[in-house]
Amino acid sequence: MTTSQTTALPLTAGTWGFDPFHSSVNFTIRHLGISKVRGRFDKLDAELVVGETLADSRITATVALDSINTGNTDRDAHVRASDLLDVANRPTMSFRSTRLEGAGEDWTMEGELTIGDVTRPISFEVEFGGVVDVPMDGSRHAGFEATGEIRRSEYGLTFAPGLLGEVVKIHLDVQFIAPQEG
């Protein structure tokens, strides 16, 4: 991972566990150019490794593409089919960070997004929500919100130009749990 800054993240160093119960990956795409279809992926896994510096820190994530949920089962079945996501041949979407920079609440995360056999660069604007100790169990959670976008055609997802928009906007809300001490 490269970075132009060598400052540390405002988090305890170590591997932060993913909190799937308080995290989501959502998307928006235009339909017919006149409205937006919104959806999410229900199966997401991620890992945050906080190093002593930003250069030593990284985030990885994997999304099961068959977990798409737009609130319409017929549409979801079609999106999973071979003419769109083709989940039989492209079961996952994965992300690996390559650069982190920022301070306070506002960060930028660059990385590589892979869908099937296509890997392309992507950039996310990240808002650091902060860190809090959960009263019920004493665990320490950190929250982040990230937004970015991809162009479908760059990943070979070319079905129905004009019917479906080229740009897919991605919105993530994620929580990570601090490493256990000891």
Side-chain angles (χ1 to χ4, degrees), residues 29-45:
I29 187 169
R30 287 236 172 237
H31 181 255
L32 298 175
I34 59 173
S35 64
K36 294 178 182 175
V37 171
R38 299 174 193 282
R40 68 179 187 264
F41 291 95
D42 292 330
K43 295 178 187 170
L44 167 68
D45 192 22

Side-chain angles (χ1 to χ4, degrees), residues 20 41 44 52 65 67-68 70 85 94 100 112 140 142 153 157 179:
F41 291 95
L44 167 68
E52 295 301 322
L65 293 177
S67 72
I68 190 166
T70 64
L85 286 179
S94 61
L100 300 168
E112 297 176 334
R140 190 168 190 82
S153 62
L157 305 172

Side-chain angles (χ1 to χ4, degrees), residues 20-174:
F21 302 110
H22 300 102
S23 299
S24 63
V25 58
N26 303 284
F27 66 88
T28 305
I29 187 169
R30 287 236 172 237
H31 181 255
L32 298 175
I34 59 173
S35 64
K36 294 178 182 175
V37 171
R38 299 174 193 282
R40 68 179 187 264
F41 291 95
D42 292 330
K43 295 178 187 170
L44 167 68
D45 192 22
E47 179 180 78
L48 170 62
V49 176
V50 177
E52 295 301 322
T53 68
L54 288 176
D56 299 326
S57 302
R58 69 182 181 280
I59 297 171
T60 57
T62 302
V63 172
L65 293 177
D66 67 353
S67 72
I68 190 166
N69 184 343
T70 64
N72 181 307
T73 55
D74 291 337
R75 176 175 46 217
D76 294 345
H78 183 220
V79 173
R80 289 183 192 104
S82 61
D83 54 349
L84 283 165
L85 286 179
D86 191 12
V87 299
N89 293 307
R90 293 187 287 237
T92 61
M93 172 172 53
S94 61
F95 172 79
R96 178 182 73 85
S97 66
T98 58
R99 179 184 176 127
L100 300 168
E101 66 179 10
E105 294 180 1
D106 299 317
W107 294 77
T108 300
M109 176 175 60
E110 295 177 11
E112 297 176 334
L113 183 71
T114 300
I115 302 174
D117 60 355
V118 178
T119 301
R120 305 276 306 158
I122 188 170
S123 180
F124 288 97
E125 295 301 315
V126 179
E127 180 183 331
F128 174 52
V131 179
V132 67
D133 293 328
V134 177
M136 284 75 70
D137 65 6
S139 63
R140 190 168 190 82
H141 288 234
F144 301 88
E145 182 177 353
T147 56
E149 61 183 45
I150 64 168
R151 301 183 88 56
R152 296 191 302 129
S153 62
E154 292 179 349
Y155 293 89
L157 305 172
T158 57
F159 176 80
L163 178 66
L164 295 175
E166 168 67 359
V167 174
V168 180
K169 295 185 179 186
I170 302 168
H171 183 98
L172 300 113
D173 285 298
V174 293

